Amino acid sequence: MKELKNIYLKQKEIINYIIVGVLTTIVSLIIYYGLVLTILNPENALELQIANIISWIISVIFAYITNRKFVFESKSKNIKSEFLSFVGSRILTLLFDMGIMFVGVSLLSFSDKKMKLISQVIVIVSNYVLSKLFVFKKKKNESAI
């Protein structure tokens, strides 16, 4: 048990990111599937993207809060700037997501459910890299605190 704790402490950020990423993905998928199984038609390209955007907005808000608190443990006082950077990085990965969904579903006629899962893996990895390098980048004076 002590070994597991040591592993966790050494890899805390990445482990917490994986947990938060899984939870964010679950939030995104629940919203997306809820929309396409009830009120939006994924065979209609516009409605497919509307479902995608709504699930994105809700999951980005959830992701910012959980990443800030549990993953990167941000102490930044400039929450507005941090949030805007976070949203900007997520807009980039939203464009990845939309492109993958458009090509996979609308052009290649793959299942929207399967393409959404594939897209989410690519988005999760991209989100971590962007968050680590640009959004929650610790300033030199913060690392000593």
Side-chain angles (χ1 to χ4, degrees):
M1 190 61 133
K2 191 174 184 178
E3 287 180 35
L4 284 177
K5 184 177 180 180
N6 287 337
I7 291 170
Y8 172 75
L9 291 174
K10 287 181 183 175
Q11 301 298 324
K12 182 180 175 183
E13 184 178 277
I14 195 76
I15 291 169
N16 286 353
Y17 184 78
I18 290 168
I19 293 167
V20 165
V22 167
L23 293 173
T24 301
T25 300
I26 290 169
V27 167
S28 178
L29 293 173
I30 287 171
I31 300 301
Y32 174 80
Y33 291 148
L35 290 169
V36 300
L37 293 173
T38 58
I39 59 173
L40 296 172
N41 178 5
E43 294 175 14
N44 176 304
L46 178 61
E47 291 185 28
L48 171 80
Q49 295 303 339
I50 290 170
N52 214 29
I53 290 169
I54 292 170
S55 74
W56 178 83
I57 290 169
I58 294 168
S59 64
V60 164
I61 293 167
F62 176 84
Y64 174 72
I65 294 166
T66 54
N67 275 285
R68 177 179 166 76
K69 183 171 177 85
F70 300 111
V71 177
F72 299 103
E73 299 175 349
S74 175
K75 305 292 187 227
S76 174
K77 303 274 189 246
N78 197 345
I79 294 173
K80 182 179 178 184
S81 175
E82 185 181 75
F83 179 72
L84 291 175
S85 293
F86 188 84
V87 169
S89 71
R90 291 316 200 256
I91 288 172
L92 180 60
T93 59
L94 171 64
L95 295 175
F96 293 166
D97 188 19
M98 291 175 71
I100 292 165
M101 292 298 286
F102 177 75
V103 170
V105 178
S106 299
L107 297 181
L108 301 176
S109 300
F110 292 138
S111 162
D112 68 294
K113 314 303 184 279
K114 290 177 185 174
M115 287 308 303
K116 187 66 175 170
L117 289 172
I118 291 167
S119 176
Q120 287 302 293
V121 171
I122 295 166
V123 166
I124 288 170
V125 172
S126 300
N127 283 338
Y128 178 77
V129 171
L130 292 170
S131 289
K132 181 79 173 165
L133 296 177
F134 302 109
V135 179
F136 298 108
K137 182 176 164 182
K138 296 205 186 308
K139 298 186 177 40
K140 291 183 184 192
N141 60 353
E142 286 180 19
S143 60
I145 295 174

